[in-house]
Amino acid sequence: MTTKNEVESKIRTKVVVSERDFSIDSEYDFLSSNAPRTGAIVSFIGRVREFSEREDITGLHLEHYPGMTEASLNKIIELAHQRWDIQACSLHHRIGSLQVEDQIVYVGVSSAHRDEAFDACRFIMDYLKTEAPFWKKELTQDGDYWVDAREKDQQARARWQSSASDQS
C-alpha cells in the first residue's frame, strides 16, 4: 500500500543526452501534464553563443561518456529533489557538433511553489556545469580547443555547498 507521503515524494524525471535538438513545447508538456499540484514551472535553455573567453567562436563540439553521463545527471536531479519539493524534472543535453545559436541544454523543473522551482533549476544547472561528464571543444576560425569548467562555474556550485551547511 502506498502512503500519501510516498506518492508526494516521487518525482517524474526525464533525462536525455542526444545529438537531436529538443522541443520546448514537448518539455513543457512533460512537466505540466497530469500535474494538478504544480503551481510553478521554471526552465532554462542554454544556447551556443559566438563568444566565450575568445570572441571568434563558430561552434561547439560536445562529447560524453554514455551511461556514466545519464547516471550523473540523474544523481544531480536527486540531489535537487533532496533539497526542494520538486515534482518533475526534465533535462536534455545535446552532444556532437553544434553551431552558434543552436540549443545545447534544457533544464525544466516543476513544483508547487516558484521559489523551489527557481532554486532547483539553478542548482541543477550549476552542478551540471561542474559535475556532469561532458567534454566541450570550442570551435574557432583559428582552430579548436578543449575547455574546462570555468572558475565562475566552480563558484556557483560552491554557493550551494555553503548554503547546505548553513541549513544543517
Side-chain angles (χ1 to χ4, degrees):
M1 175 180 210
T2 303
T3 67
K4 182 178 179 193
N5 287 339
E6 288 173 323
V7 171
E8 289 176 0
S9 70
K10 291 182 181 177
I11 176 175
R12 289 183 307 120
T13 304
K14 177 180 171 186
V15 172
V16 178
V17 178
S18 172
E19 290 185 7
R20 295 191 350 218
D21 201 1
F22 50 86
S23 161
I24 297 166
D25 290 341
S26 293
E27 302 303 327
Y28 180 83
D29 288 346
F30 172 79
L31 295 169
S32 63
S33 297
N34 299 314
R37 291 183 54 238
T38 296
I41 296 174
V42 171
S43 61
F44 171 84
I45 300 154
R47 296 175 8 129
V48 179
R49 60 181 182 228
E50 66 182 358
F51 68 93
S52 184
E53 291 180 12
R54 298 174 59 159
E55 294 290 326
D56 60 345
I57 305 296
T58 59
L60 294 177
H61 183 79
L62 293 119
E63 296 181 8
H64 78 115
Y65 191 96
M68 177 190 272
T69 303
E70 292 82 358
S72 176
L73 298 177
N74 278 300
K75 182 179 179 186
I76 292 167
I77 293 168
E78 180 55 34
L79 288 172
H81 182 52
Q82 290 171 9
R83 293 178 73 148
W84 297 281
D85 183 20
I86 57 178
Q87 299 163 353
C89 181
S90 178
L91 196 163
H92 188 121
H93 203 295
R94 295 186 63 199
I95 54 170
S97 294
L98 304 170
Q99 303 302 309
V100 171
E101 297 186 359
D102 283 351
Q103 299 178 132
I104 304 169
V105 62
Y106 174 90
V107 176
V109 176
S110 68
S111 181
H113 304 286
R114 71 177 182 268
D115 287 342
E116 291 185 329
F118 273 113
D119 287 347
C121 189
R122 184 173 202 107
F123 173 93
I124 291 166
M125 214 34 240
D126 288 346
Y127 267 65
L128 185 148
K129 292 285 285 183
T130 59
E131 298 300 312
F134 288 102
W135 296 275
K136 181 168 75 171
K137 185 189 301 184
E138 292 183 340
L139 313 177
T140 72
Q141 294 174 356
D142 296 329
D144 308 337
Y145 57 97
W146 294 100
V147 293
D148 293 322
R150 294 181 168 79
E151 180 62 29
K152 71 177 191 163
D153 297 327
Q154 299 291 346
Q155 291 169 354
R157 183 187 182 282
R159 174 189 61 195
W160 296 110
Q161 291 173 321
S162 64
S163 67
S165 62
D166 293 344
Q167 294 174 357
S168 304

